[in-house]
Amino acid sequence: MREQTVAMYCFLDDLLTLTRPVRPLPADPRRRLTDAQVLTTALVAARFFGGNLTLGRHYMEQHWGQNQLDKSGFTRRLHTLTDTLLALFATCGQVLKELHTEARYVIDSFPVAVCQNIRIPRCKLLTGKTYRGRSASKRQWFYGFKVQIIATSEGVPVEFYIHAGSEANGTGIRAMAVDLPDGSLLYTDNAYTDYALEDVFAEATGGQQFTARKANSKRPHSPAQRFLLQYFRKGVETAFSQLTACFPKHIHAVTAAGFVLKLALFIFVHTLDQAGC
């Protein structure tokens, strides 16, 4: 745990130094933590304490002598760093794409409910039917968000997008603005069937999107292509199971933005874990 914490801090500190100019600390004496310390604390909480930021703050204070912020002050600092966190993940994903010379990727989604279905009328975190979705693989309805993840063939996430649960996978991938290296192969299930989008992907990257076909498809796959689809999709489904297993039974958040931020932390820390950090 100590070695992993040090590795995450060094990685984030170096990445922040490389991706943005050095900014002097403001005159506000209440700022006692650097951005790298705040983000490391949040990632430690996601990795070892089920996303409990309070336990993460206490651990960093007791074992590393880190200056402590009160709960509200730390939460505000973390929320102001949301865009920085997403930018760091994008940079990390870009590096992983360059190292992934095989250039085979898989996209899939999984639902994350904010509450049980019976509690939907009393849910204060989200409101409206927009978040009411259905998980085809689990054959059940849920109320919350859907997470789209593009992962390497080894199951390492390199891109993700979080949207309302009612939106279809095809809508999610169009909003995701997929950015894969030239010549990449992207494997998807039949929920992403969109011939026009496949043509755009092939034209933009010089690669090919292999989508699992239905029986009446106008673009059927060969037996070899069907085998590769099943092979790589099985691996990413295992990787997603490992990721969701890290989620606590209930992700505590006061706002929808805080809930999404914790999801991003879980995905980021899983990527670092899979990458060896």
Side-chain angles (χ1 to χ4, degrees):
M1 183 175 180
R2 291 178 61 87
E3 292 79 5
Q4 293 169 330
T5 302
V6 172
M8 282 192 289
Y9 173 76
C10 293
F11 174 79
L12 291 174
D13 190 54
D14 290 344
L15 203 56
L16 284 170
T17 302
L18 291 172
T19 56
R20 69 184 186 186
V22 177
R23 297 181 301 178
L25 290 178
D28 189 350
R30 292 175 297 178
R31 179 167 179 171
R32 293 172 289 177
L33 299 178
T34 65
D35 291 347
Q37 288 176 311
V38 173
L39 292 176
T40 301
T41 303
L43 290 175
V44 165
R47 187 164 189 169
F48 302 111
F49 302 107
N52 191 316
L53 298 177
T54 300
L55 294 180
R57 289 189 299 112
H58 288 168
Y59 168 78
M60 295 298 288
E61 179 192 14
Q62 294 173 3
H63 292 81
W64 299 100
Q66 178 172 287
N67 292 327
Q68 185 177 17
L69 292 177
D70 60 275
K71 181 179 179 180
S72 61
F74 180 84
T75 303
R76 286 195 300 270
R77 281 287 305 279
L78 181 58
H79 275 267
T80 61
L81 292 172
T82 299
D83 291 340
T84 301
L85 178 72
L86 297 178
L88 292 178
F89 181 87
T91 303
C92 179
Q94 191 62 37
V95 173
L96 292 173
K97 293 173 193 175
E98 293 176 0
L99 296 175
H100 185 59
T101 56
E102 185 181 356
R104 295 180 185 269
Y105 300 89
V106 184
I107 184 172
D108 207 345
S109 67
F110 59 87
V112 181
V114 299
C115 66
Q116 297 178 357
N117 288 339
I118 197 172
R119 301 187 181 210
I120 292 177
R122 292 178 287 169
C123 180
K124 297 181 180 180
L125 194 64
L126 302 173
T127 56
K129 297 182 179 180
T130 307
Y131 299 96
R132 179 77 169 177
R134 187 177 188 278
S135 173
S137 59
K138 296 182 179 181
R139 298 182 179 179
Q140 64 182 18
W141 292 88
F142 70 96
Y143 191 70
F145 296 95
K146 189 178 289 185
V147 183
Q148 305 277 345
I149 289 185
I150 294 180
T152 64
S153 54
E154 290 83 14
V156 182
V158 293
E159 292 185 25
F160 73 90
Y161 178 70
I162 302 172
H163 57 89
S166 65
E167 295 182 10
N169 287 348
T171 304
I173 192 174
R174 283 192 292 270
M176 198 173 183
V178 178
D179 182 19
L180 295 178
D182 293 343
S184 298
L185 303 179
L186 180 63
Y187 298 96
T188 74
D189 64 13
N190 54 25
Y192 294 89
T193 300
D194 187 332
Y195 297 146
L197 190 62
E198 292 179 23
D199 294 338
V200 170
F201 179 82
E203 182 179 353
T205 67
Q208 191 170 356
Q209 178 178 327
F210 290 101
T211 302
R213 301 304 190 196
K214 298 179 181 179
N216 60 347
S217 173
K218 298 179 181 179
R219 299 184 183 181
H221 290 314
S222 66
Q225 291 172 334
R226 289 197 298 269
F227 172 79
L228 290 174
L229 266 167
Q230 295 175 357
Y231 176 80
F232 288 113
R233 285 193 49 76
K234 184 176 181 180
V236 82
E237 288 172 359
T238 302
F240 284 2
S241 298
Q242 295 173 348
L243 171 59
T244 53
C246 300
F247 292 2
K249 186 176 181 181
H250 174 70
I251 300 176
H252 175 72
V254 179
T255 64
F259 191 93
V260 172
L261 176 57
K262 285 196 172 182
L263 289 179
L265 288 170
F266 282 121
I267 297 170
F268 198 166
V269 80
H270 178 74
T271 299
L272 294 178
D273 182 37
Q274 295 298 305
C277 290

